[in-house]
Amino acid sequence: MSYFAAATAWLFGAEALMAAGFGFPSADLASPDTLVLVHMVSIGWLSTAMCGALLQFVPVLVSRPLFAENWALPALVLLTAGLIALLCGFLPLGGHLPPWLWLLPLGACLLIAGFGLIAADVVLTVQSAKSLDASARFVLVGMASLCVTVALGATFASQLAGYGGAAIDSVLESGVPIHAIAGLGGWLTLTAMGVSYRLLAMFMLSPDLDERQSWVTLFVGALTLCVAVIGGLVAIEAASGLGAVLLWAGVFGLATIALYGRDVIELYRKRKRRQLELNTQMAAYGFLSLLVAAVLGAVLAATGSFAPYAGAFAFLIAFGWLSGLVLAKLHKIVAFLTWLEAYGPVMGRAPMPRVQELVVEARAKKWFGAYFAAVWVATALLLAGEGTLFRVAALAMAVATGGIIHEFVRTRRLTDVAEPLRLPNGVTEPCLLHAR
């Protein structure tokens, strides 16, 4: 729960900065201010939320307890401290702070330690299983992508601080797309895909997919990453340019999204729960955003105009697909974990509410609808080059996100549970930011 609280705080902060005109599109896509925003979203929001979800659901995926549950708190502290140090290292590059560039490698080291604890905990938990389904293997590929992302990021941080050598100048100059693909495409997207298979099946009562289907999706996704990362690094070393590598990575990436879309449609089509809960309704908008982003990327690449609109493409991936899916699933996850914490100890000994009675879906649905509408409008404004109006859309995103966070708080406080079921004998109100 602490991971989710920290993550949503970073998301709200990033959206508020965008609404205030900080970073892209008010500044260049490669500017230090934009780097602050990008890492607030990718590390502070998405990666922290994903780590929290993995610590909770990897044991469910492999039917084994977490290898080291007591690693969770130090990992969160390291990730938070590392991100703050990294951001304070970027800010001097934009003239906002004194030149404390040594904070960049310090932040990178702290992030390596934090992500290292998470990766070790997840991998050791998965390895303890007798057999692995496709979802667990998606997570393993995501962990490998995380290692690549962090390694490249640490290299960039050291080089920007002046501690690198001339030999890696070419990696800093040309390797940012590889870093982004490994992070957004590998670590975050493939991991989200793997976890979503199990969550959708659980929450919609859908039969598990044919393993061969999801295996094919995973293989093509892993192939995409190999082409992008290995091929990209070879191309940089050979000074041959990344054009061909990124083209092939894009082709395989589109194939991965098409295969994943087929799998998701089958899960929705074969579900036994005909009345969809809010989390699965809103997740569909995240899947729609991924589809639109794929079509948009293909059109931009085919017309030779991807570079000028790369920011809009990445924005839709980060806020429409990944953020939309995570927020949708958190609506259910927070309620489910809160129910377990509050009412699990008295199960069978006192009357208690259902999980769905901890939330008011009709009210939350308005905030989710406002969020997705604001994201789509913001993407269109980025494509149209309307930076001023984009700030208005970003403000709407921040307001909607604040409303969604307020729904999470109400869930943790059991505010919407009717008396006398709210606090029967033996039930205590959960702590807001952590489980007791």
Side-chain angles (χ1 to χ4, degrees):
M1 203 59 64
S2 302
Y3 277 76
F4 300 150
T8 51
W10 282 113
L11 172 62
F12 184 81
E15 291 170 340
L17 287 178
M18 288 190 295
F22 184 87
F24 182 80
S26 301
D28 186 73
L29 191 59
S31 69
D33 289 357
T34 302
L35 290 177
V36 170
L37 278 179
V38 166
H39 289 85
M40 286 178 69
V41 174
S42 60
I43 298 177
W45 156 232
L46 291 172
S47 292
T48 303
M50 191 66 72
C51 288
L54 289 177
L55 291 175
Q56 183 65 40
F57 283 100
V58 164
V60 177
L61 291 177
V62 298
S63 301
R64 287 289 186 276
L66 200 62
F67 179 81
E69 190 169 339
N70 59 348
W71 290 359
L73 178 58
L76 178 59
V77 172
L78 287 167
L79 290 176
T80 304
L83 178 56
I84 291 172
L86 191 71
L87 299 182
C88 290
F90 285 138
L91 289 171
L93 297 175
H96 301 292
L97 288 177
W100 301 328
L101 297 183
W102 54 271
L103 287 170
L104 288 171
L106 173 62
C109 289
L110 292 172
L111 289 171
I112 288 172
F115 282 125
L117 281 178
I118 295 294
D121 210 358
V122 168
V123 171
L124 290 171
T125 302
V126 171
Q127 285 185 341
S128 68
K130 294 181 180 179
S131 62
L132 301 180
D133 63 5
S135 294
R137 293 188 183 273
F138 266 92
V139 172
L140 289 179
V141 175
M143 289 293 105
S145 302
L146 173 61
C147 293
V148 172
T149 306
V150 171
L152 286 173
T155 301
F156 296 158
S158 297
Q159 191 72 359
L160 287 172
Y163 298 111
I168 60 174
D169 280 342
S170 58
V171 178
L172 177 60
E173 182 179 349
S174 305
V176 173
I178 302 174
H179 180 56
I181 291 172
L184 284 178
W187 154 231
L188 292 169
T189 289
L190 283 185
T191 304
M193 287 178 174
V195 173
S196 70
Y197 282 135
R198 181 58 61 90
L199 291 182
L200 288 173
M202 286 173 55
F203 296 153
M204 296 193 301
L205 303 180
S206 299
D208 289 334
L209 292 171
D210 185 335
E211 282 285 306
R212 292 170 295 182
Q213 283 187 218
S214 45
W215 274 105
V216 171
T217 306
L218 175 59
F219 175 79
V220 179
L223 180 61
T224 304
L225 291 172
C226 289
V227 169
V229 174
I230 299 175
L233 293 176
V234 170
I236 290 173
E237 178 65 24
S240 59
L242 291 177
V245 170
L246 295 179
L247 175 61
W248 280 107
V251 171
F252 289 126
L254 285 173
T256 303
I257 293 172
L259 291 168
Y260 176 64
R262 173 205 62 184
D263 297 342
V264 168
I265 289 172
E266 182 171 334
L267 286 169
Y268 273 86
R269 184 170 58 84
K270 292 184 176 180
R271 71 186 189 275
K272 295 180 180 178
R273 176 170 283 167
R274 305 319 300 173
Q275 184 64 37
L276 290 176
E277 296 177 339
L278 181 64
N279 76 93
T280 45
Q281 293 179 38
M282 296 300 105
Y285 291 126
F287 300 135
L288 176 61
S289 297
L290 177 61
L291 173 62
V292 173
V295 173
L296 174 63
V299 171
L300 293 176
T303 57
S305 54
F306 187 87
Y309 298 106
F313 173 79
F315 180 89
L316 185 56
I317 289 289
F319 288 97
W321 152 235
L322 289 168
S323 297
L325 179 68
V326 172
L327 285 171
K329 291 306 172 186
L330 281 182
H331 186 263
K332 180 69 173 184
I333 292 170
V334 171
F336 182 67
L337 296 183
T338 301
W339 185 90
L340 283 177
E341 181 184 351
Y343 302 106
V346 298
M347 187 180 301
R349 296 189 287 110
M352 62 185 65
R354 295 178 298 111
V355 175
Q356 282 302 98
E357 292 178 45
L358 271 65
V359 299
V360 178
E361 291 195 345
R363 184 179 63 229
K365 188 173 184 178
K366 298 176 182 178
W367 292 119
F368 277 102
Y371 174 82
F372 279 106
V375 169
W376 295 335
V377 169
T379 303
L381 292 171
L382 287 176
L383 292 171
E386 296 290 343
T388 302
L389 291 177
F390 169 83
R391 293 172 60 181
V392 178
L395 178 60
M397 288 172 56
V399 171
T401 299
I404 294 170
I405 293 173
H406 184 245
E407 293 297 316
F408 297 160
V409 171
R410 292 180 65 90
T411 299
R412 289 295 291 169
R413 293 301 191 198
L414 306 177
T415 304
D416 295 309
V417 180
E419 298 291 354
L421 296 180
R422 182 172 178 268
L423 293 174
N425 290 336
V427 174
T428 58
E429 185 178 282
C431 293
L432 181 61
L433 301 180
H434 66 89
R436 295 184 188 276

mmCIF file of all heavy atoms in Angstrom, residues 24 29 300 304-312 382-383:
data_model
loop_
_atom_site.group_PDB
_atom_site.id
_atom_site.type_symbol
_atom_site.label_atom_id
_atom_site.label_comp_id
_atom_site.label_asym_id
_atom_site.label_seq_id
_atom_site.Cartn_x
_atom_site.Cartn_y
_atom_site.Cartn_z
ATOM 1 N N PHE A 24 8.218 19.351 -21.220
ATOM 2 C CA PHE A 24 7.553 19.182 -22.514
ATOM 3 C C PHE A 24 6.039 19.381 -22.366
ATOM 4 O O PHE A 24 5.457 18.917 -21.380
ATOM 5 C CB PHE A 24 7.849 17.777 -23.042
ATOM 6 C CG PHE A 24 7.265 17.478 -24.386
ATOM 7 C CD1 PHE A 24 7.884 17.935 -25.538
ATOM 8 C CD2 PHE A 24 6.096 16.750 -24.494
ATOM 9 C CE1 PHE A 24 7.344 17.652 -26.771
ATOM 10 C CE2 PHE A 24 5.545 16.463 -25.721
ATOM 11 C CZ PHE A 24 6.175 16.919 -26.870
ATOM 12 N N LEU A 29 11.937 18.254 -25.962
ATOM 13 C CA LEU A 29 11.758 16.886 -25.496
ATOM 14 C C LEU A 29 12.999 16.353 -24.779
ATOM 15 O O LEU A 29 12.904 15.516 -23.885
ATOM 16 C CB LEU A 29 11.406 15.971 -26.681
ATOM 17 C CG LEU A 29 10.925 14.554 -26.364
ATOM 18 C CD1 LEU A 29 9.675 14.593 -25.504
ATOM 19 C CD2 LEU A 29 10.668 13.788 -27.653
ATOM 20 N N LEU A 300 2.861 7.500 -38.257
ATOM 21 C CA LEU A 300 3.960 8.462 -38.187
ATOM 22 C C LEU A 300 5.227 7.904 -38.825
ATOM 23 O O LEU A 300 5.945 8.607 -39.540
ATOM 24 C CB LEU A 300 4.223 8.853 -36.740
ATOM 25 C CG LEU A 300 3.128 9.656 -36.031
ATOM 26 C CD1 LEU A 300 3.494 9.872 -34.564
ATOM 27 C CD2 LEU A 300 2.895 10.999 -36.719
ATOM 28 N N GLY A 304 7.203 9.167 -42.315
ATOM 29 C CA GLY A 304 8.500 9.784 -42.034
ATOM 30 C C GLY A 304 8.434 10.947 -41.080
ATOM 31 O O GLY A 304 9.334 11.791 -41.067
ATOM 32 N N SER A 305 7.404 10.998 -40.231
ATOM 33 C CA SER A 305 7.234 12.141 -39.326
ATOM 34 C C SER A 305 7.206 11.705 -37.862
ATOM 35 O O SER A 305 6.624 12.400 -37.021
ATOM 36 C CB SER A 305 5.945 12.896 -39.671
ATOM 37 O OG SER A 305 4.819 12.026 -39.670
ATOM 38 N N PHE A 306 7.838 10.558 -37.561
ATOM 39 C CA PHE A 306 7.778 10.070 -36.189
ATOM 40 C C PHE A 306 8.529 10.989 -35.231
ATOM 41 O O PHE A 306 8.039 11.291 -34.139
ATOM 42 C CB PHE A 306 8.350 8.657 -36.100
ATOM 43 C CG PHE A 306 8.173 8.020 -34.744
ATOM 44 C CD1 PHE A 306 7.017 7.334 -34.431
ATOM 45 C CD2 PHE A 306 9.157 8.128 -33.767
ATOM 46 C CE1 PHE A 306 6.839 6.765 -33.181
ATOM 47 C CE2 PHE A 306 8.990 7.571 -32.519
ATOM 48 C CZ PHE A 306 7.826 6.880 -32.228
ATOM 49 N N ALA A 307 9.718 11.421 -35.623
ATOM 50 C CA ALA A 307 10.560 12.218 -34.713
ATOM 51 C C ALA A 307 9.862 13.473 -34.202
ATOM 52 O O ALA A 307 9.895 13.749 -32.986
ATOM 53 C CB ALA A 307 11.878 12.567 -35.392
ATOM 54 N N PRO A 308 9.203 14.280 -35.063
ATOM 55 C CA PRO A 308 8.557 15.497 -34.543
ATOM 56 C C PRO A 308 7.406 15.220 -33.576
ATOM 57 O O PRO A 308 7.064 16.082 -32.762
ATOM 58 C CB PRO A 308 8.044 16.200 -35.815
ATOM 59 C CG PRO A 308 8.834 15.613 -36.934
ATOM 60 C CD PRO A 308 9.109 14.215 -36.534
ATOM 61 N N TYR A 309 6.807 14.036 -33.692
ATOM 62 C CA TYR A 309 5.645 13.723 -32.855
ATOM 63 C C TYR A 309 5.932 12.598 -31.860
ATOM 64 O O TYR A 309 4.997 12.012 -31.297
ATOM 65 C CB TYR A 309 4.459 13.333 -33.741
ATOM 66 C CG TYR A 309 4.005 14.437 -34.663
ATOM 67 C CD1 TYR A 309 4.290 14.385 -36.020
ATOM 68 C CD2 TYR A 309 3.317 15.542 -34.173
ATOM 69 C CE1 TYR A 309 3.892 15.416 -36.875
ATOM 70 C CE2 TYR A 309 2.911 16.568 -35.015
ATOM 71 C CZ TYR A 309 3.201 16.494 -36.362
ATOM 72 O OH TYR A 309 2.807 17.513 -37.203
ATOM 73 N N ALA A 310 7.220 12.327 -31.622
ATOM 74 C CA ALA A 310 7.573 11.265 -30.681
ATOM 75 C C ALA A 310 7.044 11.563 -29.281
ATOM 76 O O ALA A 310 6.661 10.649 -28.539
ATOM 77 C CB ALA A 310 9.087 11.088 -30.644
ATOM 78 N N GLY A 311 7.006 12.838 -28.898
ATOM 79 C CA GLY A 311 6.501 13.201 -27.584
ATOM 80 C C GLY A 311 5.040 12.845 -27.405
ATOM 81 O O GLY A 311 4.639 12.334 -26.350
ATOM 82 N N ALA A 312 4.216 13.101 -28.431
ATOM 83 C CA ALA A 312 2.797 12.759 -28.353
ATOM 84 C C ALA A 312 2.607 11.251 -28.273
ATOM 85 O O ALA A 312 1.759 10.753 -27.514
ATOM 86 C CB ALA A 312 2.060 13.324 -29.567
ATOM 87 N N LEU A 382 -1.125 17.818 -28.426
ATOM 88 C CA LEU A 382 0.301 17.670 -28.704
ATOM 89 C C LEU A 382 0.543 17.469 -30.196
ATOM 90 O O LEU A 382 1.473 18.037 -30.778
ATOM 91 C CB LEU A 382 0.877 16.495 -27.915
ATOM 92 C CG LEU A 382 1.063 16.690 -26.411
ATOM 93 C CD1 LEU A 382 1.540 15.400 -25.765
ATOM 94 C CD2 LEU A 382 2.053 17.818 -26.131
ATOM 95 N N LEU A 383 -0.294 16.662 -30.815
ATOM 96 C CA LEU A 383 -0.159 16.437 -32.260
ATOM 97 C C LEU A 383 -0.425 17.719 -33.040
ATOM 98 O O LEU A 383 0.175 17.949 -34.101
ATOM 99 C CB LEU A 383 -1.118 15.332 -32.711
ATOM 100 C CG LEU A 383 -0.804 13.923 -32.199
ATOM 101 C CD1 LEU A 383 -1.949 12.966 -32.531
ATOM 102 C CD2 LEU A 383 0.497 13.405 -32.824
#
